[in-house]
Amino acid sequence: MNSRRLFLQKLGGTALATQLAPIAAWAAKPGMEETYQGPVLRVAIMGLGGYATRVADAMKDCKKAKLVGVISGTPSKIKDWQGKYNIPEKNCYNYENFDTIKNNKDIDAVYVITPNALHHDNTIRAARAGKHVICEKPMAISAKEGQEMVDACKKANVKLLIGYRMHFEPQTLEVIRMRKDGELGKITFFQGLTGFTINDPNQWRVDKKLAGGGSMMDIGIYSINGARYMVGEEPIWVTAQETKTNPAIFKEGVDETVQFQLGFPSGAVASCLSTYNMNNLDRFFLNGTKGYVEMCPSTNYGPIQGRSHKGPLNQPIVTHQTVQMEEMADIILNGKKPVVPVDGEEGVRDMKIIEAVYAAVKSGQKQKISL
């Protein structure tokens, strides 16, 4: 997508009742000109790490969302982003003065891309400032914190969306369509394998205070969430086992490898693995009485590839974060209903399942899940 088009956005028009400014955007294509006239979601990114850079670069191609501000505790990063993304000084904040963003009418939403343990407070501060919130997953380090975030956003009358980029990915949506249309028959089994290797003991992902756990609080959420939207049901029980081979890196409360099994009301089951100790694990497999779908890679930045009993999946290859931000802008600005929810309640459900996984590991017993 980045190679096909560059969108130039120009502020203008009449302010909306919600203080969202319409923008005219032009997309150059060979032999034609495509014009977008409509409201644009003006976004400030909080936390300027590697993934934030990926999102910012992808937003250059958005028509309905525009990066206009930054929040960071590192002044040098703010300066770098100002130059790279043309961010005005008045839209730059640190964590001390961030609450004054409530007085900035040129920012509509804050995208929270900080370590997991900071999501709760960052989201609530943004909501109290009257800004819509997009929060990276996992939304928090507990279901309790997640619910508090949902409640705070409702109280402030702002939207809370979670960064489930796969909910908008074309291959993924095609599998969901096939399942809904009965092409796979009755769903019987799902497998989700997600993982990569961490060898750095100083990375925040293996710091319990910042991450809230280990691989389950990061890569494992893809298999949990994937099992739910692939099977099309909510799990009712879980069993789980933990394997730890390197306690020097994966200290108490930081899981290295977790295998977990989910059961669904229809009788379908899921077998999943989440790890920080193995590479080459990015695979979903969905089986039904009439057919199957395999996706590999299934959740990384792409290109996502899949095949079914009918042959290859041939949906368009997209930049996930560009599509995500376009769709989320539509949800916030126009009330669009996505095929798979990305709201705060969706995030809380995943947190409840993660907590059940951890409880099953600790007890060695099957845990009931109530969502």
Side-chain angles (χ1 to χ4, degrees), residues 119 123 132-140 142-154 158-164 167-168 221 225 228 234 328 331-332 338 340-353 371:
H119 291 177
T123 294
H132 300 293
V133 182
I134 302 168
C135 180
E136 259 311 304
K137 58 194 179 304
M139 69 181 299
S142 70
K144 178 179 180 293
E145 281 195 357
Q147 188 59 52
E148 289 172 355
M149 293 159 65
V150 169
D151 294 342
C153 288
K154 286 183 176 178
V158 297
K159 293 270 194 351
L160 171 59
L161 305 181
I162 312 301
Y164 290 114
H167 292 198
F168 308 109
I221 201 167
N225 196 249
R228 295 173 55 222
E234 299 292 10
M328 288 186 164
I331 292 168
I332 292 173
V340 185
V342 292
D343 53 34
E345 288 83 356
E346 178 81 353
V348 172
R349 285 188 280 270
D350 279 342
M351 293 309 307
K352 288 181 177 180
I353 298 171
L371 301 181

Side-chain angles (χ1 to χ4, degrees), residues 229-247:
Y229 62 67
M230 288 291 187
V231 174
E233 300 179 59
E234 299 292 10
I236 56 176
W237 60 258
V238 62
T239 54
Q241 308 81 37
E242 180 180 3
T243 303
K244 188 173 292 190
T245 64
N246 191 345

